[in-house]
Amino acid sequence: MTGPEMVNGFTEEHLSAQPPHIRGLIDRRAKVLGPGYQLFYSNPVEVSRGSGVHLYDSGGNEYLDAYNNVVSLGHCHPAVVEAVARQLSVLTTNTRYLQEDLLDFSERLLATFPAELDRVTYTCTGSEANDLALRIARAHTGNAGIIVTRNAYHGVTAEVAAFSPSLGPTSPLGPHVRTISAPDPLRHGDSVTDMLRDEIRSVIEDLQRHGFGVCALVVDSIFSSDGVQPFPTDLLGILAAEVRTAGGVYLADEVQAGFGRTGAGWWGFGRHDVVPDLVTLGKPMGNGIPVAATVLRNEIGREFGRNVRYFNTFGGSNVPIAAASAVLDTIEREGLIDNAREIGGQLLRGFTEIVAGHSWLAEARGAGLFLGIEVTEPDSTEPDRALAQSLVDDLREHFVLVSASGPQGNVIKIRPPLVFSAADAALLLERFAAAADRRRA
Amino acid sequence: MTGPEMVNGFTEEHLSAQPPHIRGLIDRRAKVLGPGYQLFYSNPVEVSRGSGVHLYDSGGNEYLDAYNNVVSLGHCHPAVVEAVARQLSVLTTNTRYLQEDLLDFSERLLATFPAELDRVTYTCTGSEANDLALRIARAHTGNAGIIVTRNAYHGVTAEVAAFSPSLGPTSPLGPHVRTISAPDPLRHGDSVTDMLRDEIRSVIEDLQRHGFGVCALVVDSIFSSDGVQPFPTDLLGILAAEVRTAGGVYLADEVQAGFGRTGAGWWGFGRHDVVPDLVTLGKPMGNGIPVAATVLRNEIGREFGRNVRYFNTFGGSNVPIAAASAVLDTIEREGLIDNAREIGGQLLRGFTEIVAGHSWLAEARGAGLFLGIEVTEPDSTEPDRALAQSLVDDLREHFVLVSASGPQGNVIKIRPPLVFSAADAALLLERFAAAADRRRA
């Protein structure tokens, strides 16, 4: 069963090219897994082991993993393995009992945020965190309207899928959802901030005209599925101000940009010099253990707390908290935010050089260890999705894992574990340059 | 901040009676946790360690845990600790790579279901599983209407909270949601099946009249928050048939009743001799590691799979699957389904004797290790919530953990880990009898 088209998704046309072992696994998946599952790459990767920045298949091949942003500390980081094993043999239960570890961690986590963001609720996934954040925002504002960017992704609950346009045209947006452009300075130049201010004013007016009012602007602080857009950094403050004036709140989705990834402090919104009303966290928070959270200003949660109770069986339970605590420790102890900035800088310089040598590479951009490279028609900004896919597939054949993103699927998306070293970065650049050279100049 | 009333929820009126250490922890919670958090018991329990059927507080007090249904194998079962620690040091990544362990487990899990239920999608929580199941059901049926029992609980996403009436009157149901009575043979006697058939016909007609149509009947197979109602067992088949005739599907929520809890096979619906269209799993699936799933008939998922992709970062990742696999193994190896039936039988006989000795205990009922005891006005079926709460609190003071349930909060809810022994059961009965004796005859 093949579902709707996905950037870098395996499709059945490539099935016959697979060796019997891989065909066997794909066949077994089709026989047991439910609807909507998809594999990466034209030639799917089997994984059986991970360590640091590497994944290994059952044949022992080593892949340089420049894509898995969940295992931010690297695959199988011993600090997380030990913390989880220890806690699992002591206790894991829920937040309806008093537990000091939950409080210790919450206080530490909140200390990484601006003082206004002073409360945290735990969930298991970023989807749940966004779902909860929206329920809270709706109770606070009394409004329904949601504004997201045109190819945003925020999660897969019914509520959140309805404002995740990147799920594609066959996954309908809610009637209360409006989209604005994501910033794209390559194509819009210096006018992008003015353009987006006009756009958000227009959708605000439209939401009000339809009686929805404005509940929330929801933005992933690195615009990941919009093609990785780190600039301009004056934009989010302007958009947030427009939304607040209209009675709405600004929710920063840090599921991808958070926990030091952008190399400029803990949170992606920090690069933008704006303080959100709510912030959602997920993926790297437990380095692979499911744990996520909604952070908010206390006053925003009052209406919700008065009327609704929220209990998430595993959210805030001891093992996820132990994992998250080990992640915070390790990011600090290993200086991973600085590393993300430094190695990210090395990658950006290297990719910028490679881009300069190829007419069909239009731009490299990024913040910290979250980078995007535009694959286009030669000497143009016209996206070339097929060429981007061929580059992703070529790198996979040469044991480097990256993927693609953006509304046209033409932006190579690179987001390695934060422990990526200078040598790892050099290898990634070398393999990328070689793959580019195997294409046209 | 105190939220809406919850059965067996701590309220601020009991704050001043707490010792300074506990007051300090409650105060810290209020300062960092988001809206909607609540504690159990008038006198909250601090937990610092768990082992088997026991929880321990930081003072070393040992509590007999007859309530935590997540740690079905007992707190800190070594099989799960080892499986998780081992897998975490080898690999944990997502389902967009090929992985044999995911397939091995899926095949084993599906083998515990009737043959028609032949596909599984993984999520992290029961809420996500129900949320996904509803999206699938909606795509399949083309309808919106949902039917649940009057005090049902199915989860906390925006979608699922809208059909979870037990969240209370301040958490509104969706316009497309209708409720029917839960079975309550104590109060409705033999007429309950006829009564519910009439009720479901009436709400089906009403959903159709409003243009919603019938999407799904969603039922927790043990009616947990409706007060634990194991009988009659001919009911679910009749209700499912009515819903199917109207074009809807039957979703069995096994988040609480599943994985052997009712002592009659793996799944609670098995006692009812009916095969659902979709089944959701959660809580005990990983003995504390967040893992959940939606199981379904392949043909039900076709429309969803054609239009929508579903990706859950942690759902089906290796560590949750390793935990779930260890749970399946252990249930089989330790004969826990048989144990649930036998020890559940011992408890039911014991509670029935205790009930006979007190005019204000109207009934003990249960299936396997899921039991409910009705606390009422003397010689009456009129619920007595305050008395039930005092019994729960008294047991907690005597180091036995249970809670209460039901639309009136008057049903003592007992659901110990499946490894409960005959001696544990004897101790629970002894303490319960003593607590009852401390009340009126």
Side-chain angles (χ1 to χ4, degrees), chain A residues 125 128 131 158 170 283 307 313, chain B residues 125 128 131 158 170 283 307 313:
Chain A
T125 68
E128 285 190 333
D131 191 290
T170 52
K283 295 193 192 298
N307 292 319
T313 298
Chain B
T125 67
E128 285 190 333
D131 191 290
T170 51
K283 296 194 192 294
N307 292 320
T313 298

Side-chain angles (χ1 to χ4, degrees), chain B residues 69 130 147-149 151-155 163 166 182-183 217-230 235-236 250-258 261-262 268-269 271-272 280 283 370 405 413 415:
Chain B
N69 60 345
N130 279 324
I147 302 168
V148 294
T149 52
N151 203 50
Y153 175 75
H154 298 292
F163 59 89
S166 80
L217 167 71
V218 187
V219 181
D220 154 12
S221 309
I222 191 77
F223 299 92
S224 170
S225 40
D226 286 294
V228 188
Q229 296 287 0
L235 178 66
L236 286 181
Y250 159 43
L251 161 58
D253 180 337
E254 293 277 339
V255 172
Q256 300 213 50
R261 167 127 328 249
T262 62
F269 66 79
R271 293 179 60 249
H272 294 262
T280 48
K283 296 194 192 294
F370 211 137
S405 164
K413 183 160 62 164
R415 38 170 215 199

Side-chain angles (χ1 to χ4, degrees), chain B residues 303-362:
Chain B
E303 294 83 1
F304 185 81
R306 196 152 48 227
N307 292 320
V308 184
R309 59 178 196 263
Y310 184 84
F311 175 66
N312 189 308
T313 298
F314 305 121
S317 66
N318 311 73
V319 162
I321 292 296
S325 192
V327 168
L328 274 198
D329 285 343
T330 306
I331 290 175
E332 283 172 356
R333 194 179 55 246
E334 299 189 0
L336 294 183
I337 301 178
D338 287 344
N339 193 66
R341 189 175 54 249
E342 284 160 27
I343 304 300
Q346 176 190 347
L347 284 173
L348 187 55
R349 286 188 300 276
F351 283 123
T352 301
E353 267 181 47
I354 296 170
V355 163
H358 297 273
S359 63
W360 51 276
L361 291 174

Side-chain angles (χ1 to χ4, degrees), chain B residues 21-211:
Chain B
H21 170 65
I22 298 294
R23 272 213 307 277
L25 291 175
I26 294 173
D27 184 53
R28 285 174 70 194
R29 278 172 68 101
K31 283 185 179 147
V32 297
L33 296 185
Y37 274 96
Q38 295 199 326
L39 288 164
F40 277 142
Y41 303 109
S42 301
N43 182 13
V45 176
E46 185 202 0
V47 289
S48 62
R49 186 163 75 79
S51 179
V53 299
H54 298 111
L55 280 169
Y56 300 85
D57 64 23
S58 63
N61 292 303
E62 179 180 280
Y63 296 81
L64 180 66
D65 189 350
Y67 193 66
N68 277 286
N69 60 345
V70 167
V71 286
S72 213
L73 314 184
H75 291 279
C76 308
H77 194 288
V80 177
V81 178
E82 279 159 33
V84 168
R86 190 184 331 114
Q87 186 60 50
L88 199 53
S89 66
V90 171
L91 179 69
T92 194
T93 189
N94 66 63
T95 56
R96 285 185 168 163
Y97 304 96
L98 288 167
Q99 299 172 67
E100 193 139 26
D101 50 0
L102 175 73
L103 301 172
D104 292 341
F105 175 75
S106 299
E107 290 161 1
R108 285 185 61 196
L109 178 69
L110 290 173
T112 67
F113 284 90
E116 300 94 318
L117 289 156
D118 56 357
R119 293 294 188 282
V120 56
T121 295
Y122 296 97
T123 66
C124 292
T125 67
S127 292
E128 285 190 333
N130 279 324
D131 191 290
L132 171 64
L134 255 290
R135 295 182 70 198
I136 293 171
R138 208 177 290 126
H140 177 68
T141 63
N143 297 331
I146 300 173
I147 302 168
V148 294
T149 52
R150 196 138 300 135
N151 203 50
Y153 175 75
H154 298 292
V156 291
T157 65
E159 167 79 21
V160 180
F163 59 89
S164 290
S166 80
L167 292 171
T170 51
S171 180
L173 298 181
H176 58 296
V177 175
R178 297 293 180 277
T179 64
I180 57 173
S181 300
D184 186 354
L186 175 67
R187 294 179 180 86
H188 304 132
D190 289 344
S191 69
V192 66
T193 298
D194 287 341
M195 183 182 121
L196 284 180
R197 186 196 286 110
D198 289 348
E199 282 194 32
I200 203 165
R201 283 179 178 170
S202 163
V203 300
I204 286 170
E205 197 184 313
D206 187 57
L207 282 171
Q208 289 169 333
R209 184 63 189 84
H210 283 83

Side-chain angles (χ1 to χ4, degrees), chain B residues 267-278:
Chain B
W267 310 111
F269 66 79
R271 293 179 60 249
H272 294 262
D273 196 27
V274 58
V275 179
D277 300 300
L278 301 109

Side-chain angles (χ1 to χ4, degrees), chain A residues 59-79:
Chain A
N61 292 303
E62 179 181 279
Y63 296 80
L64 180 66
D65 188 350
Y67 193 65
N68 277 286
N69 60 346
V70 168
V71 286
S72 213
L73 314 183
H75 290 278
C76 309
H77 194 289

